[in-house]
Amino acid sequence: MTSQRRSSHAARPGPGCVPAMAPLAVELALRLVVMSLPVSWGCLLCFTSKSDRQRLCQLFTGLPEHRGSHCEIRLLEAFKGLTHAQINYAERAQLSDAFTQMVFTLEEKAAAKESYEVAFPAAAQSLEETLKELSKAPDCVPPCGFQELARLFFCNSCAAHDCDLPLDCPIKDLLVRAGGQAAFSCSVSFSTPLEVTYAWMFAGNIRTRDLSYFRVLPRAQDVFARIRPVRPSHRGTFSCLISFDQQRLARLFFFLNVTAGKPQVELGLQTIFGMVLKARGSKADCPEPWRPSFSALLAHPRALTTRNLCLLGLAAGLGATTLILLGMLLYRCCSEC
């Protein structure tokens, strides 16, 4: 009996063991919870460093770094609503500034002895309101092209995501009679910078997007181009590359199919004449620069931009002012007569 009592008494932990083991068990449990959390908890981990978050918890709790696990978990939970947030890539600097300001605000609240149980959710709510105020990126416009303005920043990966579209656009088919005119417009439906450059190429007698078949047309460097008169030798694929600061934005393809439209004798003379011009280094085989009419420019998809509308309004205002001044001058001359 005595030995059994002693063994049972020895198996029981002493009064001082429970307080010593309980914090260790709690800390281990909290670390397991942190390890089981998702790899990314959104914008918080993108725009704040680990040292920032640990410093905040030290300021709020007054505990060393390895004892502030519960505070860090509360911080992550407060911002879990921003895990899958998506923002305009151009606005990421503004969002980064907002998180920097948030850290300063939380440090002030910690100095004022405010509870992090209240401060963290309030900070997350403030950041959600900031996200709503940021400008939205335009939607990707299919079917092709590198659309930088539509680039998004994903908080769940802290990385940029571009439109999942190819650089090369589908081939557009043009059917033109021999002796007629073929017009090309190297334009896209999405917004591009104003200072873009254009480079044209040609692959004769084939419908393809394989660049190995193309040769460069050095004299064609405008957004609009045309060929006149169209000859059978112009049958093939024309390609236009849109670039900005050595960044390729889109490559367009036009397949020109030439049909018989004039007597064979005249076509033969045109072919001979074209060969003579080509031998002299003429530009007959290249798309020539084209200045469309005013109505054709208005029909262009990017014609009615804000800048162009302002210019049209200014021109209309100057025209109206000129007419009024001329009318007043004529009225004064008639009155004096």
Side-chain angles (χ1 to χ4, degrees):
M1 286 291 295
T2 304
S3 61
Q4 291 180 356
R5 289 178 180 177
R6 287 179 179 177
S7 61
S8 62
H9 178 74
R12 296 176 183 176
C17 296
V18 174
M21 294 180 63
L24 179 60
V26 172
E27 182 178 345
L28 291 175
L30 290 175
R31 290 186 179 275
L32 289 175
V33 172
V34 172
M35 293 174 62
S36 65
L37 292 174
V39 176
S40 173
W41 274 75
C43 299
L44 176 68
L45 301 189
C46 296
F47 297 103
T48 62
S49 64
K50 183 178 180 181
S51 61
D52 290 335
R53 299 188 294 272
Q54 291 178 345
R55 185 178 70 257
L56 284 175
C57 284
Q58 289 176 9
L59 293 174
F60 273 104
T61 63
L63 298 175
E65 174 184 333
H66 65 282
R67 301 290 295 275
S69 301
H70 185 272
C71 173
E72 292 184 38
I73 291 176
R74 289 291 180 264
L75 181 59
L76 293 175
E77 288 180 347
F79 283 86
K80 66 182 180 181
L82 304 182
T83 302
H84 301 288
Q86 303 176 12
I87 65 170
N88 185 345
Y89 186 80
E91 299 284 356
R92 73 190 189 283
Q94 183 175 345
L95 186 59
S96 177
D97 293 340
F99 269 95
T100 301
Q101 181 60 43
M102 178 208 72
V103 173
F104 291 152
T105 302
L106 289 177
E107 289 176 350
E108 293 176 352
K109 291 185 177 181
K113 304 303 181 181
E114 185 173 332
S115 171
Y116 63 80
E117 298 282 358
V118 177
F120 290 166
Q125 180 65 32
S126 176
L127 262 298
E128 289 183 7
E129 296 298 327
T130 301
L131 280 173
K132 294 178 182 178
E133 296 174 359
L134 297 179
S135 62
K136 304 299 182 182
D139 296 332
C140 297
V141 180
C144 59
F146 173 68
Q147 305 174 29
E148 185 174 6
L149 296 180
R151 178 181 291 177
L152 296 174
F153 182 86
F154 285 11
C155 280
N156 60 354
S157 60
C158 298
H161 290 253
D162 294 314
C163 300
D164 188 17
L165 298 172
L167 178 70
D168 293 348
C169 300
I171 300 177
K172 296 181 180 180
D173 292 284
L174 287 80
L175 183 63
V176 180
R177 290 182 176 273
Q181 173 179 285
F184 306 97
S185 175
C186 189
S187 59
V188 289
S189 301
F190 57 89
S191 298
T192 59
L194 296 178
E195 300 82 9
V196 295
T197 58
Y198 304 94
W200 291 84
M201 298 188 297
F202 176 63
N205 205 34
I206 187 174
R207 187 181 189 274
T208 182
R209 293 194 300 177
D210 188 345
L211 297 181
S212 62
Y213 290 95
F214 287 83
R215 62 181 176 87
V216 178
L217 303 176
R219 298 186 182 92
Q221 298 178 348
D222 295 329
V223 58
F224 297 108
R226 67 179 174 183
I227 299 175
R228 59 175 184 175
V230 173
R231 300 193 299 273
S233 60
H234 291 136
R235 182 183 184 276
T237 306
F238 291 85
S239 175
C240 174
L241 176 64
I242 307 175
S243 304
F244 172 72
D245 194 20
Q246 298 183 351
Q247 172 66 53
R248 298 176 179 179
L249 303 182
R251 185 181 285 110
L252 284 67
F253 295 89
F254 308 90
F255 176 67
L256 178 60
N257 195 5
V258 183
T259 61
K262 292 188 177 182
Q264 195 67 26
V265 176
E266 186 176 351
L267 287 178
L269 292 176
Q270 287 185 359
T271 302
I272 296 173
F273 179 69
M275 293 175 63
V276 173
L277 292 178
K278 185 176 181 180
R280 295 181 179 178
S282 171
K283 299 184 291 184
D285 283 340
C286 294
E288 63 181 11
W290 175 39
R291 297 294 179 265
S293 62
F294 182 73
S295 59
L297 284 174
L298 289 180
H300 191 262
R302 294 186 59 198
L304 297 179
T305 61
T306 303
R307 180 173 179 270
N308 290 346
L309 288 175
C310 292
L311 292 176
L312 288 175
L314 180 61
L318 291 175
T321 304
T322 303
L323 291 176
I324 293 174
L325 292 176
L326 289 176
M328 294 176 61
L329 182 61
L330 292 175
Y331 176 77
R332 183 177 180 181
C333 292
C334 293
S335 299
E336 292 178 354
C337 294

